[in-house]
Amino acid sequence: MTQTVIPCRVAVVGGGRMGAGIAQVFATLGSVVVIAEAGDRSAAFDRVATGLRRAGERGKLGNLDVEDILARVTTVGAPTDLPSDFDLVVEAVPEDPALKADVLAAVDKTVDSQAVIASNTSSLSITELGAVLADPGRFLGMHFFNPVPASALVEIVRAPATADTVVARAQGWVAALGKAEVVVNDSPGFATSRLGVCLGLEAIRMVEEGVADPDAIDRAMELGYRHPMGPLRSTDLVGLDVRLAIAEHLAATLGRRFEPPKLLRDKVARGELGRKSGRGFFTWNTATAGAPR
């Protein structure tokens, strides 16, 4: 049985939507959380605050007070500004291999050797990212899903060098968060992105070919196969630019079956990125993050 353990101190590098969500769930759990954000630090903190207030309005915080949770969250600038004493550091910067490698190398030189270092990458090689660390054995993938507070799953990705004790610690933290975990071996796209992108790309091709409109395709998968969300709304939620980057990576590593459709490239070029831009395959209300059926 997985032992649930609350990490006392957690660092999150990157304060965008994913990083803020990861910070929110660990702070709610009771951890002291430090966010390293090279851009607008106040915006990163505000994302956490907004997420917590929305969770409170929906009754998801129980008797916990939003301000008490926020008191456990602080921000710094660069990863080198982080304190050294963490149980867990989660890198959550954009899916740029060079950027992630630079961040991880800086974290590795800053935090103590007992800290577990994880990447929130959804598709990049954990083996290659871990090569920049002095001890790749303390490194693994912890792939959270968007939106982090509401998602039920964390995909734990182990590289050949990842220590068994590190995997076990990650499993314990996921259990403490009240989420489920799956452990997969390092491979392009892991399990979730590889399958999710495959379905999403085919759905986009169907729209491109005029098989059906986006709503019909999504409803077919939701009602016929009991998917909680159709592949095109899921693409909007993830971000069309993110899905394009993952598809390009998978096409380069696994072959042409992951070649992005022209429609996806065109939408990204037009700035139709999904929920975050207000339009993707659906039109989104950016104030409520809701898409009409």
Side-chain angles (χ1 to χ4, degrees):
M1 179 180 294
T2 299
Q3 182 179 5
T4 61
V5 179
I6 299 175
C8 296
R9 290 178 62 81
V10 175
V12 180
V13 183
R17 182 185 297 274
M18 291 300 297
I22 294 167
Q24 176 184 329
V25 295
F26 276 110
T28 302
L29 182 64
S31 299
V32 173
V33 178
V34 182
I35 302 171
E37 172 53 58
D40 189 339
R41 291 165 54 183
S42 63
F45 185 87
D46 288 346
R47 289 186 191 99
V48 179
T50 298
L52 284 168
R53 292 186 181 111
R54 287 176 176 170
E57 291 167 359
R58 294 193 297 268
K60 300 296 185 180
L61 298 182
N63 295 324
L64 298 176
D65 181 77
V66 169
E67 297 305 319
D68 288 345
I69 299 172
L70 283 174
R72 294 194 283 270
V73 181
T74 57
T75 64
V76 298
T80 50
D81 296 331
L82 289 167
S84 61
D85 55 334
F86 289 102
D87 299 286
L88 172 66
V89 181
V90 182
E91 168 273 306
V93 301
E95 291 285 281
D96 180 327
L99 174 61
K100 286 184 179 289
D102 287 346
V103 165
L104 290 167
V107 167
D108 190 43
K109 294 174 182 176
T110 302
V111 301
D112 293 340
S113 59
Q114 82 279 359
V116 170
I117 301 176
S119 175
N120 183 52
T121 180
S122 56
S123 63
L124 300 178
S125 169
I126 297 301
T127 303
E128 292 178 8
L129 291 176
V132 303
L133 276 63
D135 176 15
R138 66 163 166 166
F139 182 64
L140 79 170
M142 289 183 71
H143 177 202
F144 290 81
F145 291 79
N146 186 23
V148 176
S151 67
L153 178 69
V154 179
E155 186 177 33
I156 296 174
V157 187
R158 65 179 306 157
T162 305
D164 291 342
T165 53
V166 168
V167 174
R169 291 175 73 185
Q171 289 176 299
W173 294 329
V174 171
L177 289 170
K179 299 183 184 298
E181 46 83 8
V182 293
V183 178
V184 302
N185 292 320
D186 187 24
S187 178
F190 317 137
T192 56
S193 291
R194 185 166 171 174
L195 288 171
V197 169
C198 184
L199 180 61
L201 294 180
E202 191 59 30
I204 295 169
R205 292 187 190 99
M206 290 169 68
V207 175
E208 193 173 58
E209 295 167 7
V211 174
D213 64 31
D215 190 65
I217 292 169
D218 272 13
R219 285 176 63 79
M221 297 309 296
E222 292 164 4
L223 300 177
Y225 288 86
R226 297 190 178 182
H227 287 201
M229 180 182 293
L232 296 167
R233 277 187 179 80
S234 177
T235 295
D236 273 10
L237 187 65
V238 169
L240 275 70
D241 53 338
V242 174
R243 183 134 288 181
L244 174 60
I246 296 171
E248 289 176 332
H249 173 68
L250 293 178
T253 54
L254 295 176
R256 290 187 57 82
R257 65 187 185 277
F258 288 98
E259 182 65 29
K262 183 176 183 298
L263 178 59
L264 177 58
R265 294 189 185 278
D266 289 348
K267 280 184 168 291
V268 171
R270 291 195 297 266
E272 297 176 13
L273 307 182
R275 183 175 71 169
K276 58 189 171 186
S277 70
R279 183 172 180 82
F281 289 96
F282 300 91
T283 299
W284 293 79
N285 182 333
T286 54
T288 63
R293 293 305 303 249

